[in-house]
């Protein structure tokens, strides 16, 4: 029936989301703490790099380097 098909689809979608969150969590755990914090401030808090640098008391260049490292780790995790 339509409702059981819809429920199965919802269960499948939830499973995919949970698997993806697990993979993201594992990827973040592999990052050094400052890189993880920089990435989360950028991606979850939608902070600009300049604001992150100020909050973490690091240079803008460091923030850019940390973000590049985090994105590289994302690519490795997705491969």
């Amino acid at each position: 029936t339509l409702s059981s098909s819809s429920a199965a689809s919802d269960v499948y979608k939830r499973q995919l989301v949970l698997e993806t969150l697990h993979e993201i969590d594992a990827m973040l755990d592999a990052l050094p703490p400052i890189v993880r914090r920089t990435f989360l401030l950028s991606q979850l808090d939608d902070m600009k790099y300049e604001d992150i640098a100020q909050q973490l008391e690091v240079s803008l260049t460091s923030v850019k380097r940390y973000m590049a490292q985090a994105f590289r780790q994302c690519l490795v995790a997705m491969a």
Side-chain angles (χ1 to χ4, degrees):
T1 66
L2 184 58
S3 62
S4 65
S5 175
S6 178
S9 176
D10 288 346
V11 168
Y12 178 73
K13 287 177 187 176
R14 179 174 167 77
Q15 182 180 0
L16 283 178
V17 168
L18 289 174
E19 287 177 18
T20 302
L21 288 173
H22 179 71
E23 290 173 8
I24 291 169
D25 186 52
M27 183 275 302
L28 290 174
D29 277 348
L31 295 173
I34 189 73
V35 176
R36 180 174 51 247
R37 180 81 175 125
T38 301
F39 182 79
L40 291 174
L41 288 172
S42 171
Q43 300 302 302
L44 295 183
D45 294 343
D46 202 28
M47 289 180 69
K48 295 181 178 170
Y49 287 8
E50 294 84 2
D51 297 331
I52 295 169
Q54 186 176 16
Q55 181 169 329
L56 297 179
E57 299 179 346
V58 298
S59 69
L60 179 58
T61 302
S62 291
V63 170
K64 291 177 181 179
R65 190 173 61 244
Y66 298 155
M67 288 302 295
Q69 183 178 350
F71 284 126
R72 279 192 305 272
Q73 185 67 26
C74 287
L75 290 174
V76 167
M78 291 171 40

